[in-house]
Amino acid sequence: MPRIAYVDGQFVRHSEASIHVEDRGLQFGDAVYEVWAVRGGILFDSEGHLARLARSLAALQIKTPIGNASLMVIVRELMTRNKLKDGLVYLQISRGVARRDHPFPAHSRPSIILTARAMNMVQADARAAKGIQVQTCPDNRWGRVDIKTVNLLPNVLAKQAALEAGFADAWFVDSEGMVTEGTAQNAWIVDSKGQLRTRPATHAILRGITRDAIIKTAQELGFTFEEKAFSRYEALSAQEAFITSATSFVTPVIGLDGYKIGDGTPGSIARKLRETYLSQQTSVKKALDSTLLD
Ligand SMILES: Cc1ncc(COP(=O)(O)O)c(C=O)c1O
């Protein structure tokens, strides 16, 4: 079965999908994106991702090119055409095609791209059960990483450097020695006093949709939680650490820069949060129609 993508109104073979050479997303990174997890055929946190998409478009002054209802019809059709049970749906909206010039073009129609990718959930669950090792690196990104734009070069380089050094991923650390977030995930610890902590959602991090869902889950489970930045040193002396994102859900971090976190195995709070979040998302079985918000 061929993989199918969606480009500007058409479903096309993934291998033949293409965009214009003067698309501003390509030339300037003038584009935003979203990633939804799909597990057991269910699209996770659909409303949260739609709300963040609207915020990202507004921040870049890109006129919303499609209503949520129409977008969800396309997402559902894409999932069907790709027989997507477990994996990801990727959406990118750029300012559109125009002669290469920095100012916003007077007339351009935003370009919309959607792709679907299958993911092996058995492997993903096994990775989470084992935990991952992370390395820290200086946060050298621009000052508006809270907008979900496609400008991910520092993230790409940090991830590659981490892999080459034998780690699974990287955590960015700001000039004050405080952890900001991962290359594509939010960073969390259970500090030495047993308190769950993740960095407040300022301009210094992308406010993860999974992060927000996990804050709710943690509160429902009665864990003490504070939105408070933590240093690399605090992470090293934490009882537990983990990451959250649409692609990793909740995945324990068992080592940082080659040092064990806690006893060097996945922590019980991270495991409980992952298990509860997955069962909440899959049992709610939010029908896609409930996200037709227009
Ligand atoms: C830099 C960064 N932080 C955090 C996240 C987690 O966001 P979400 O939970 O919405 O996937 C992502 C996801 O791509 C990301 O790229």
Short mmCIF file of all heavy atoms in Angstrom, two decimals, residues 33 49 52 141 148 155 181-186 206 208-211 244-246, ligand 1:
data_model
loop_
_atom_site.label_atom_id
_atom_site.label_comp_id
_atom_site.label_asym_id
_atom_site.label_seq_id
_atom_site.Cartn_x
_atom_site.Cartn_y
_atom_site.Cartn_z
N TYR A 33 4.20 24.15 12.48
CA TYR A 33 3.83 22.74 12.32
C TYR A 33 3.18 22.21 13.58
O TYR A 33 3.20 22.87 14.63
CB TYR A 33 5.05 21.90 11.92
CG TYR A 33 6.03 21.60 13.04
CD1 TYR A 33 6.09 20.34 13.61
CD2 TYR A 33 6.89 22.58 13.53
CE1 TYR A 33 6.99 20.04 14.63
CE2 TYR A 33 7.78 22.30 14.55
CZ TYR A 33 7.83 21.03 15.10
OH TYR A 33 8.70 20.76 16.12
N HIS A 49 -3.70 20.43 20.25
CA HIS A 49 -2.83 20.71 19.10
C HIS A 49 -3.46 21.75 18.18
O HIS A 49 -2.75 22.61 17.64
CB HIS A 49 -2.51 19.41 18.35
CG HIS A 49 -1.57 18.52 19.09
ND1 HIS A 49 -0.22 18.73 19.15
CD2 HIS A 49 -1.80 17.42 19.85
CE1 HIS A 49 0.36 17.79 19.90
NE2 HIS A 49 -0.59 16.99 20.34
N ARG A 52 -2.95 25.14 19.81
CA ARG A 52 -1.58 25.65 19.68
C ARG A 52 -1.28 26.07 18.25
O ARG A 52 -0.58 27.05 18.01
CB ARG A 52 -0.57 24.60 20.16
CG ARG A 52 0.86 25.15 20.14
CD ARG A 52 1.86 24.20 20.76
NE ARG A 52 1.90 22.95 20.03
CZ ARG A 52 2.55 21.86 20.47
NH1 ARG A 52 3.20 21.88 21.63
NH2 ARG A 52 2.55 20.76 19.75
N ARG A 141 19.33 28.45 20.92
CA ARG A 141 18.21 28.71 20.00
C ARG A 141 17.76 30.17 20.07
O ARG A 141 18.16 30.91 20.97
CB ARG A 141 17.06 27.78 20.35
CG ARG A 141 17.43 26.30 20.23
CD ARG A 141 16.31 25.40 20.72
NE ARG A 141 16.01 25.62 22.12
CZ ARG A 141 14.89 25.24 22.71
NH1 ARG A 141 13.96 24.61 22.02
NH2 ARG A 141 14.69 25.49 23.99
N LYS A 148 5.73 27.19 17.61
CA LYS A 148 6.11 25.91 17.00
C LYS A 148 6.40 26.13 15.52
O LYS A 148 5.58 25.82 14.64
CB LYS A 148 5.02 24.86 17.22
CG LYS A 148 5.52 23.43 17.03
CD LYS A 148 4.55 22.44 17.62
CE LYS A 148 4.86 21.01 17.28
NZ LYS A 148 6.09 20.47 17.86
N ASN A 155 18.08 22.21 17.25
CA ASN A 155 17.55 20.96 17.80
C ASN A 155 18.13 19.76 17.04
O ASN A 155 18.51 18.75 17.63
CB ASN A 155 16.02 20.93 17.70
CG ASN A 155 15.38 22.20 18.23
OD1 ASN A 155 15.74 23.31 17.84
ND2 ASN A 155 14.42 22.06 19.12
N GLU A 181 14.58 22.53 27.93
CA GLU A 181 13.76 21.40 27.45
C GLU A 181 14.63 20.50 26.58
O GLU A 181 15.81 20.77 26.36
CB GLU A 181 12.56 21.92 26.65
CG GLU A 181 12.94 22.71 25.42
CD GLU A 181 11.74 23.27 24.65
OE1 GLU A 181 10.64 22.68 24.73
OE2 GLU A 181 11.93 24.28 23.95
N GLY A 182 14.02 19.45 26.06
CA GLY A 182 14.73 18.55 25.16
C GLY A 182 14.67 19.04 23.73
O GLY A 182 14.07 20.08 23.45
N THR A 183 15.29 18.28 22.83
CA THR A 183 15.32 18.71 21.43
C THR A 183 13.93 18.68 20.79
O THR A 183 13.66 19.41 19.85
CB THR A 183 16.26 17.80 20.59
OG1 THR A 183 15.77 16.46 20.65
CG2 THR A 183 17.68 17.86 21.10
N ALA A 184 13.07 17.81 21.30
CA ALA A 184 11.69 17.75 20.81
C ALA A 184 10.76 17.25 21.90
O ALA A 184 9.77 16.58 21.63
CB ALA A 184 11.61 16.84 19.57
N GLN A 185 11.11 17.57 23.16
CA GLN A 185 10.32 17.10 24.29
C GLN A 185 10.48 18.09 25.44
O GLN A 185 11.48 18.78 25.52
CB GLN A 185 10.82 15.73 24.81
CG GLN A 185 11.20 14.70 23.77
CD GLN A 185 12.64 14.87 23.32
OE1 GLN A 185 13.44 15.59 23.93
NE2 GLN A 185 13.00 14.24 22.23
N ASN A 186 9.52 18.12 26.33
CA ASN A 186 9.68 18.88 27.56
C ASN A 186 10.39 18.01 28.60
O ASN A 186 10.30 16.78 28.56
CB ASN A 186 8.32 19.36 28.08
CG ASN A 186 7.74 20.44 27.17
OD1 ASN A 186 6.72 20.24 26.53
ND2 ASN A 186 8.41 21.57 27.09
N LEU A 206 8.92 25.36 24.34
CA LEU A 206 7.67 25.11 23.64
C LEU A 206 6.72 24.49 24.66
O LEU A 206 7.08 23.52 25.34
CB LEU A 206 7.85 24.14 22.47
CG LEU A 206 6.54 23.89 21.73
CD1 LEU A 206 6.18 25.08 20.85
CD2 LEU A 206 6.61 22.63 20.89
N GLY A 208 4.45 22.15 25.57
CA GLY A 208 4.01 20.87 25.00
C GLY A 208 2.55 20.59 25.34
O GLY A 208 2.11 20.85 26.45
N ILE A 209 1.87 20.05 24.37
CA ILE A 209 0.48 19.64 24.61
C ILE A 209 0.48 18.44 25.55
O ILE A 209 -0.37 18.33 26.44
CB ILE A 209 -0.22 19.31 23.26
CG1 ILE A 209 -0.18 20.53 22.32
CG2 ILE A 209 -1.65 18.84 23.48
CD1 ILE A 209 -0.72 21.82 22.91
N THR A 210 1.47 17.57 25.40
CA THR A 210 1.59 16.42 26.29
C THR A 210 1.95 16.90 27.70
O THR A 210 1.43 16.40 28.69
CB THR A 210 2.68 15.44 25.77
OG1 THR A 210 2.57 15.38 24.35
CG2 THR A 210 2.52 14.05 26.36
N ARG A 211 2.83 17.90 27.78
CA ARG A 211 3.21 18.51 29.07
C ARG A 211 1.96 18.96 29.82
O ARG A 211 1.78 18.66 31.00
CB ARG A 211 4.14 19.70 28.79
CG ARG A 211 4.40 20.63 29.97
CD ARG A 211 5.07 21.91 29.47
NE ARG A 211 5.38 22.83 30.55
CZ ARG A 211 4.51 23.67 31.08
NH1 ARG A 211 3.25 23.71 30.66
NH2 ARG A 211 4.88 24.47 32.06
N THR A 244 8.42 14.45 28.09
CA THR A 244 7.06 14.29 27.55
C THR A 244 6.99 14.92 26.16
O THR A 244 7.58 15.97 25.91
CB THR A 244 5.99 14.98 28.44
OG1 THR A 244 6.29 16.38 28.55
CG2 THR A 244 5.90 14.36 29.81
N SER A 245 6.27 14.24 25.27
CA SER A 245 6.00 14.78 23.93
C SER A 245 5.01 13.86 23.24
O SER A 245 4.77 12.73 23.71
CB SER A 245 7.28 14.85 23.09
OG SER A 245 7.71 13.54 22.76
N ALA A 246 4.49 14.33 22.10
CA ALA A 246 3.55 13.51 21.34
C ALA A 246 4.22 12.24 20.83
O ALA A 246 3.56 11.24 20.64
CB ALA A 246 2.99 14.33 20.17
C1 LIG B 1 11.22 21.77 21.39
C2 LIG B 1 10.03 20.97 21.79
N1 LIG B 1 9.63 20.97 23.08
C3 LIG B 1 8.59 20.24 23.50
C4 LIG B 1 7.86 19.45 22.61
C5 LIG B 1 6.71 18.64 23.10
O1 LIG B 1 5.49 19.11 22.61
P1 LIG B 1 4.24 18.13 22.45
O2 LIG B 1 3.99 17.55 23.81
O3 LIG B 1 3.15 19.03 22.02
O4 LIG B 1 4.61 17.11 21.45
C6 LIG B 1 8.23 19.44 21.26
C7 LIG B 1 7.48 18.63 20.28
O5 LIG B 1 7.77 18.59 19.12
C8 LIG B 1 9.34 20.21 20.83
O6 LIG B 1 9.74 20.21 19.55
#
